[in-house]
Amino acid sequence: PNIAYYKRGQYELKRIVKYATNKGFTDIIVVREDHKLLTGLVHCHLPDGPTAEYRLTSYVPSGRIRNRGKSTSHTPEVSSCTSVRSCP
């Protein structure tokens, strides 16, 4: 899949959606943070939705998890999926 990263800055979500739609993007994910801690995610399927908002209340960075597994060097597989376009 084609992926691009853009720093949000102070742009409103409506302006980001308009820009992404004009550039031909099919989805956007906006990561929200407060004082460098993740607080939420917004996933919007373009151009007409649906849009989902997730609030993160108990995020723990992987480095703080005891007895965590080690990362491998393989490239994960990504499957394509379809979704229903129903929300504004």
Side-chain angles (χ1 to χ4, degrees):
N2 297 324
I3 298 172
Y5 167 80
Y6 294 91
K7 187 172 181 178
R8 179 179 181 180
Q10 298 298 316
Y11 295 112
E12 293 180 2
L13 189 56
K14 285 184 181 184
R15 187 170 176 188
I16 294 170
V17 168
K18 185 176 180 179
Y19 175 83
T21 302
N22 290 338
K23 290 290 187 177
F25 286 87
T26 57
D27 291 90
I28 61 169
I29 296 177
V30 177
V31 178
R32 293 186 177 170
E33 63 178 43
D34 186 24
H35 302 291
K36 301 293 181 183
L37 294 175
L38 297 177
T39 59
L41 298 170
V42 175
H43 175 220
C44 183
H45 185 70
L46 302 175
D48 299 319
T51 299
E53 184 171 358
Y54 304 94
R55 185 176 66 198
L56 304 175
T57 57
S58 60
Y59 168 75
V60 178
S62 62
R64 291 183 47 202
I65 299 173
R66 293 182 297 169
N67 301 322
R68 70 183 186 277
K70 293 183 179 181
S71 298
T72 61
S73 61
H74 81 285
T75 303
E77 296 178 25
V78 179
S79 63
S80 59
C81 42
T82 60
S83 62
V84 177
R85 297 179 186 193
S86 61
C87 292

